DNA sequence: CCGCAGGACGTTAGCGTTAACAATAGGCAT
DNA sequence: ATGCCTATTGTTAACGCTAACGTCCTGCGG
């Protein structure tokens, strides 16, 4: 007599699909993995069976058989919590669906030497790495991982580099659209608070701002531009500076939501009404944008979707790596969106 | 001749551990799963080998072989991002170490019927559930999961219930300490902003406040107590109310950091200096506490450690369930800490 | 001294998938 | 027709782990 079987629940397996399609499991596997050495007719047969049985491959079995360790590291450092949180949610969701094991590493302010060592060590133990900002900018990490042949994806980096794939939005265009929006409202004296200088996205956003200003025939005024560091604190200081001007700006475009929130706080402290006396807009659409009052007009990045895509890309790269195909870096641009809320209005004085 | 082996990189397997310990793989498996039918001496041998080889079980193989998914769900709903983020970091860290697969679910404002259905469905697919606030208060979810015999841990619920284990801090004592701190500074007119009424922790915190006030000989003034909902927005309104009083409080104790941040914002808008004109203290020590200016004096909850402990407890319960032992609910109290920062000072007028 | 119970540990056989190789069919040049 | 090559499909044996069952050994009562 047969042993008690231990098949779990009721999940459809590759064998059932194979039987129904009248082929071997291996052929089914080839179809699900998109290999091209299957005849068109056979492929259709298999696909039909898959649809009929509503089959989906068991990720655990896949990663076990594939001998590809599916550990993927995400390295973060001094993150914006709101950003990290949304990123984690997206990544975790995908990870649980594909049976990859996400491991989190926190590398705070490492010196390049330490960073290099850490990257080298990490490369031993994981199959891929996700680099959210600000670490996505580190050439040290990128080059070390590339040297170790560990697929890497940068999220929301401002530029596309040769050795690392990335998933991002078009910071330049987004900033440009926001600037155009402010101009369309009637603003001409627009302040700008830059992001952290170590991130390319900061430069992109500023470039988008300046270019659009010029295109509209407004000469950029250096006195209306302040350096910030993506922190609330730096936003406070920058706002103080901007509002101390004899003719202060009628609108301030901060390079992220945290700094925009700081601007609102300063404005309130000075008795200015937002948006009647001062329009304030942010960038990223993190939770901050909707917690402050008034709610921020900002640029929405689909962070969770980007995390999802990043994992997808990474998995594909890991697979390609196994087959030896030299996967060339990808630059996956996501669509952003200008979210209009309550922190902007036409200027009081024309 | 042997076929080419396809062993992945360098991961240590259960066989290597077994060989080193001089036992069978099965014994190692029993040890890693905490089964009790292994002699003490043997167990130590195995544990030593595990440590020496730095072995950690392959989750894919585990879930494939076990037919028991080590999937643990964390259900969140309208969370404080800062809180969620820290929670996720802690849970994920532990999860990757113990090879459990964390799945995230977002249940936003479900009606009880829908919530019950969702819980019933979830119970089919996971081995355990973690309930952070505010869902940790839901008796519907708790009872449904208990009925399905799915181990559940509530995080940071205010009270201990018979059917759900929980991991939390002593909200009453923490609030009491903070109140005593304000009184020690010389404050007698202390405002309080309550948390969301659907969370027991809110009541606990308020009780701690009121009790300590009375113990110090100060009669609680209902006019100094406002209902809040843990949101920044609700904090704004509550603060406006409190500061509109003819004799406004000289200190405001908000039931969480977000509302405390809102109080600071309102104070600034009214030209009050924090802390010279108004002391403001929060609760939770989320990231908000250190982003606002001045930084908040608050109560620190070790959120990440609590997530870690929650997973631990859950794993133990899942194991016990397999062996049939009836695990009785646990109430794991964590130590909190009053973190003194820059938002409190003695009152200006005595 | 035997038999038997029960605990500790080992063996076997999968879990569902894919890597590596084998086999087969068809095509084409010799 | 024969041999050889390629495109397609099948077979076998892992991947690392654990459920289920088997075996051995110890201890104890009769």
């Amino acid at each position: 007599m047969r042993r008690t079987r231990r098949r779990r629940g009721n999940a459809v397996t590759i064998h059932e699909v194979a039987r129904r399609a009248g082929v071997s499991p291996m052929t089914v596997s080839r179809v699900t993995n998109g290999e091209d050495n299957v005849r068109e007719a056979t492929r259709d047969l298999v696909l039909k069976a898959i649809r009929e049985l509503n089959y989906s491959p068991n990720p655990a079995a896949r990663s076990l058989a594939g001998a590809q360790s599916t550990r993927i590291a995400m390295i973060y450092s001094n993150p914006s919590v709101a950003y990290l949180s949304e990123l984690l949610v997206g990544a975790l969701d995908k990870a649980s669906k594909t049976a990859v094991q996400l491991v989190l590493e926190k590398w705070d302010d490492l010196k390049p030497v330490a960073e290099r060592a850490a990257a080298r060590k990490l490369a031993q133990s994981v199959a891929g790495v996700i680099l959210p900002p600000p670490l996505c900018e580190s050439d040290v990490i990128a080059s070390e991982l590339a040297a170790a042949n560990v697929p890497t994806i940068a999220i929301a980096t401002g530029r596309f580099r040769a050795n690392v794939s990335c998933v991002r939005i078009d910071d330049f265009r987004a900033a440009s659209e926001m600037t155009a929006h402010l101009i369309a409202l009637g603003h001409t004296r627009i302040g700008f608070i830059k992001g952290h200088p170590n991130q390319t996205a900061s430069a992109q956003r500023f470039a988008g701002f300046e270019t659009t200003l010029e295109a509209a025939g407004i000469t950029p005024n250096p006195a209306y531009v302040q350096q910030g560091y993506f922190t609330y604190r730096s936003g406070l200081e920058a706002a103080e500076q901007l509002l101390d001007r004899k003719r202060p700006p009628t609108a301030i475009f901060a390079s992220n939501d945290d700094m925009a929130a700081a601007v609102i706080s300063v404005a309130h402290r000075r008795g200015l009404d937002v948006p009647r006396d001062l329009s304030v807009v942010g960038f990223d659409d993190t939770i901050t944008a909707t917690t402050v009052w008034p709610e921020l007009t900002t640029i929405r990045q689909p962070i969770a979707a980007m995390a999802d895509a990043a994992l997808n890309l990474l998995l594909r790269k890991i697979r390609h790596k196994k087959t030896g195909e030299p996967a060339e870096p990808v630059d996956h641009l996501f669509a952003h969106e200008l979210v209009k809320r309550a922190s902007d209005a036409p200027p009081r004085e024309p």
Side-chain angles (χ1 to χ4, degrees), chain A residues 178-217:
Chain A
M178 182 60 91
T179 310
H181 170 71
L182 290 174
I183 294 172
L185 282 174
H187 294 277
T188 52
R189 302 206 309 281
I190 306 178
F192 188 88
I193 305 179
K194 295 201 214 172
H196 199 296
N198 74 1
Q199 282 177 254
T200 328
S202 306
Q204 297 286 331
R205 292 176 191 179
F206 181 55
F209 167 72
E210 222 170 20
T211 306
T212 309
L213 226 50
E214 280 171 352

Side-chain angles (χ1 to χ4, degrees), chain A residues 26-350:
Chain A
M26 199 56 223
T27 303
V28 177
S29 167
R30 282 193 260 262
V31 171
T32 60
N33 288 311
E35 286 172 37
D36 54 359
N37 51 349
V38 178
R39 236 188 319 161
E40 202 57 40
T42 316
R43 179 188 305 279
D44 289 346
L45 226 56
V46 171
L47 287 175
K48 183 155 161 283
I50 288 178
R51 264 197 313 278
E52 285 170 359
L53 295 173
N54 191 22
Y55 163 76
S56 97
N58 178 328
R62 231 178 198 185
S63 76
L64 185 57
Q68 37 148 332
S69 93
T70 9
R71 285 159 50 93
I72 288 180
M74 184 153 123
I75 316 174
Y76 68 99
S77 157
N78 292 326
S80 148
V81 224
Y83 200 93
L84 177 68
S85 167
E86 204 175 327
L87 202 63
L88 276 180
V89 169
L92 212 55
D93 206 54
K94 185 70 176 187
S96 74
K97 285 201 185 93
T98 53
V100 325
Q101 190 184 344
L102 249 194
V103 307
L104 235 50
E105 297 247 338
K106 188 172 188 186
W107 294 0
D108 262 350
D109 303 318
L110 296 185
K111 299 213 178 68
V113 184
E115 206 168 64
R116 187 174 294 280
R120 199 168 298 175
K121 181 162 170 231
L122 186 70
Q124 300 292 321
S125 69
V126 300
V129 175
I130 294 181
L131 292 174
L135 256 29
C136 55
E137 302 286 348
S138 162
D139 285 318
V140 170
I141 298 179
S143 65
E144 198 60 50
L145 290 174
N149 197 20
V150 174
T152 306
I153 307 265
I155 292 193
T157 179
R159 71 188 193 280
F160 174 54
R161 285 167 298 168
N163 54 350
V164 184
S165 288
C166 68
V167 167
R168 59 192 184 112
I169 62 166
D170 188 334
D171 286 287
F172 181 93
R173 272 198 38 202
S176 167
E177 283 168 26
M178 182 60 91
T179 310
H181 170 71
L182 290 174
I183 294 172
L185 282 174
H187 294 277
T188 52
R189 302 206 309 281
I190 306 178
F192 188 88
I193 305 179
K194 295 201 214 172
H196 199 296
N198 74 1
Q199 282 177 254
T200 328
S202 306
Q204 297 286 331
R205 292 176 191 179
F206 181 55
F209 167 72
E210 222 170 20
T211 306
T212 309
L213 226 50
E214 280 171 352
I218 303 172
T219 317
N221 180 349
Y224 285 163
V225 177
Q226 282 291 321
Q227 182 67 56
Y229 299 90
F230 282 143
T231 64
Y232 186 86
R233 200 72 42 88
S234 71
L236 290 178
E237 283 163 26
E240 300 278 9
Q241 295 284 332
L242 290 174
L243 296 177
D244 273 347
R245 303 267 172 262
K246 270 188 300 262
R247 294 199 74 199
T250 58
I252 294 182
F253 181 1
S255 290
N256 78 346
D257 292 339
D258 281 12
M259 296 194 296
V263 174
I264 290 184
S265 166
V266 171
H268 284 162
R269 226 180 298 168
R270 292 176 175 231
L272 298 173
D273 182 86
V274 176
R276 284 211 302 157
D277 303 319
L278 179 71
S279 287
V280 179
V281 298
F283 204 108
D284 287 346
D285 196 20
T286 55
I287 194 82
T288 312
T290 46
T291 47
V292 297
W293 185 88
E295 296 191 349
L296 285 171
T297 290
T298 187
I299 295 285
R300 166 149 183 73
Q301 288 194 51
I303 304 178
M306 286 164 73
D308 188 292
L311 263 174
N312 248 345
L313 265 175
L314 210 45
L315 288 174
R316 199 177 314 162
K317 284 187 138 199
I318 291 170
R319 189 161 289 166
H320 277 204
K321 181 181 151 191
K322 286 201 311 185
T323 63
E325 283 177 66
E328 59 203 53
V330 183
D331 182 18
H332 189 334
L333 273 186
F334 265 75
H336 56 264
E337 186 189 352
L338 198 163
V339 183
K340 172 91 180 74
R341 296 214 181 84
S343 65
D344 59 327
R348 178 166 256 174
E349 31 169 333

